[in-house]
Amino acid sequence: MFILVSKYLSFLDNNFDITSNLIIRAIMSLLTALIICLFTGKFLINWLYKLNIKQIVRIDGPKSHVLKQGTPTMGGIMILAAIFISVLIWSNLNNSYVWYVFTILISFGLIGFIDDYRKIISQNTKGLAAKWKYLYMSVITLIIVFLLYLTGKETYMTQLVLPILKNIQPQLGLYYILFAYFVIVGAGNAVNLTDGLDGLAIMPIILVSLGFAIISWLTGNVEYSAYLHIPYIQNANELVIFCCAIVGSGIGFLWFNIHPAKIFMGDVGSLALGGGLGIIAVLLRQEFLLAIMGGVFVLEACSVILQVGSFKLRGQRIFRMAPIHHHYELKGWSESRIIVFFWVISVILVIIGLLSLKIDYISCLNIKIKIS
């Protein structure tokens, strides 16, 4: 919105162009989302208390989680509102990528809201039935992915981009739909599974979003993308604004969510933010980088899959409890230690993901052959 106003003012005055600068808008997007969360957090917590919208703890979960019973939840509303307002103000709303991300964020957030609401009303952790949750997520995701396929089929937009092996970019064709669907829905559920301890999910979200802000900026620049051998995507620039808004709102939310948490994001936040990261990765053609930088989410999701699979096939559990952060709780690790441990892993994985942009195994192999 602000960029559209800026263009109009530029038409009236040729010297008025500072607000169209991407870096400035990205910083302002981050700060706007941060300020919104910091200033509304306390009011939201008090409001949720009055409405009796409080966390419902798993009966079969770690005993230490009983203390979390009664903590306000659905704080994801604050995060999504901050992102929505910030992006509306600072992004170019003519960019189709902005609306793709908005669609996933809002729709997944609505599904999460229904899930949270049912848990609170019924006073149990069942919420929205899994089959309906996956159905709604699947329908929305398939519509978005199919539209992306129609507008970019048989181009670089439907190619598979592999970190390090950049010269190998096979055309996925119709398999693009299935692949992109898996990334978006999988990311939403993986983040949802990770959100089990105070601040455990939001910090990796902040770090991965920061990584994608950098990648969006590089991908939207002709020279940098050519230098790094990654696809140049003109619309990618506006995703920098989106990623920075997620970073700002995440930091603002963390202020209230850090251990001991005063509020939880709930499914309304975790599903939306996970799906948001998924669609951003798909739009940037960096799905594998999402798996690397968001390795904590992958680990949490895989621990559940392995646990369920092992129990059904062998009648034995691999972990004391899944997701894996509960396993460490039952081993006697303190909550703070687990959280910091996963944060450190996230930092390392994001750095590895960003470094992989510069590495091209084929080029390195050619250089080795020439030297020898």
Side-chain angles (χ1 to χ4, degrees):
M1 182 180 292
F2 199 82
I3 191 65
L4 295 178
V5 174
S6 172
K7 286 181 178 179
Y8 174 71
L9 293 175
S10 297
F11 176 76
L12 299 178
D13 182 1
N14 291 330
N15 294 322
F16 192 90
D17 62 351
I18 189 171
T19 51
S20 63
N21 184 282
L22 179 64
I23 301 299
I24 293 175
R25 289 193 291 123
I27 294 171
M28 293 306 297
S29 174
L30 189 154
L31 292 176
T32 301
L34 172 62
I35 291 169
I36 290 172
C37 282
L38 289 177
F39 276 88
T40 60
K42 188 175 180 181
F43 297 102
L44 179 64
I45 291 170
N46 293 333
W47 183 62
L48 292 173
Y49 261 124
K50 290 179 181 178
L51 294 177
N52 203 33
I53 299 176
K54 299 174 182 178
Q55 180 73 10
I56 307 298
V57 176
R58 286 173 55 181
I59 299 174
D60 60 341
K63 293 180 181 179
S64 59
H65 284 217
V66 175
L67 298 174
K68 301 179 185 292
Q69 184 84 23
T71 303
T73 187
M74 296 176 71
I77 295 173
M78 174 175 67
I79 301 174
L80 297 184
I83 294 171
F84 186 76
I85 294 170
S86 181
V87 173
L88 276 183
I89 294 173
W90 297 108
S91 72
N92 181 358
L93 299 181
N94 289 328
N95 189 304
S96 61
Y97 279 20
V98 171
W99 295 105
Y100 282 131
V101 182
F102 263 146
T103 302
I104 292 295
L105 271 178
I106 295 171
S107 57
F108 276 36
L110 182 59
I111 294 168
F113 178 87
I114 296 170
D115 190 30
D116 287 332
Y117 182 76
R118 290 200 172 191
K119 289 176 184 176
I120 293 163
I121 293 298
S122 62
Q123 287 296 297
N124 63 54
T125 56
K126 290 183 179 180
L128 184 64
K131 63 179 181 180
W132 293 113
K133 187 190 296 186
Y134 284 112
L135 176 63
Y136 298 146
M137 292 171 67
S138 297
V139 170
I140 294 161
T141 302
L142 287 172
I143 291 172
I144 294 295
V145 170
F146 187 69
L147 289 173
L148 287 172
Y149 173 76
L150 289 179
T151 56
K153 60 181 178 180
E154 303 307 322
T155 68
Y156 65 90
M157 286 306 299
T158 54
Q159 287 180 329
L160 183 64
V161 178
L162 300 169
I164 302 178
L165 300 174
K166 296 176 183 176
N167 291 329
I168 303 174
Q169 296 185 2
Q171 181 59 244
L172 293 175
L174 281 171
Y175 288 109
Y176 167 84
I177 297 174
L178 183 62
F179 180 65
Y181 161 81
F182 176 78
V183 171
I184 297 170
V185 175
N189 284 289
V191 173
N192 183 235
L193 291 170
T194 306
D195 186 32
L197 298 177
D198 302 351
L200 180 61
I202 194 63
M203 180 56 83
I205 289 171
I206 293 169
L207 294 169
V208 174
S209 299
L210 186 59
F212 270 128
I214 297 170
I215 295 167
S216 301
W217 178 60
L218 295 171
T219 302
N221 185 290
V222 177
E223 294 179 1
Y224 294 151
S225 58
Y227 175 70
L228 294 170
H229 301 289
I230 58 177
Y232 164 66
I233 303 173
Q234 185 177 6
N235 287 338
N237 275 338
E238 292 306 310
L239 294 181
V240 178
I241 309 301
F242 236 115
C243 292
C244 286
I246 295 174
V247 172
S249 61
I251 295 171
F253 178 75
L254 183 62
W255 181 264
F256 304 99
N257 185 238
I258 199 166
H259 184 68
K262 296 178 182 177
I263 189 172
F264 301 126
M265 74 168 73
D267 287 5
V268 63
S270 59
L271 283 178
L273 292 173
L277 291 177
I279 184 65
I280 289 171
V282 168
L283 293 171
L284 294 175
R285 308 306 306 127
Q286 295 295 346
E287 297 90 351
F288 281 95
L289 271 187
L290 174 60
I292 295 171
M293 296 193 299
V296 166
F297 306 133
V298 176
L299 176 64
E300 294 275 18
C302 286
S303 69
V304 173
I305 294 170
L306 290 172
Q307 183 85 325
V308 173
S310 177
F311 188 75
K312 286 186 175 181
L313 294 174
R314 304 187 305 148
Q316 295 179 350
R317 292 180 173 86
I318 299 174
F319 309 103
R320 296 187 181 185
M321 184 177 290
I324 198 169
H325 58 260
H326 290 322
H327 171 77
Y328 288 110
E329 280 188 284
L330 295 180
K331 284 187 70 175
W333 286 31
S334 67
E335 183 167 348
S336 297
R337 184 186 178 190
I338 298 169
I339 293 165
V340 173
F341 177 68
F342 277 73
W343 286 2
V344 171
I345 292 175
S346 288
V347 171
I348 295 170
L349 291 174
V350 169
I351 293 173
I352 291 173
L354 292 174
L355 288 176
S356 71
L357 287 174
K358 184 65 184 72
I359 301 171
D360 188 341
Y361 178 76
I362 301 298
S363 299
C364 293
L365 188 62
N366 290 336
I367 291 171
K368 266 188 172 182
I369 293 171
K370 288 179 182 179
I371 292 174
S372 59

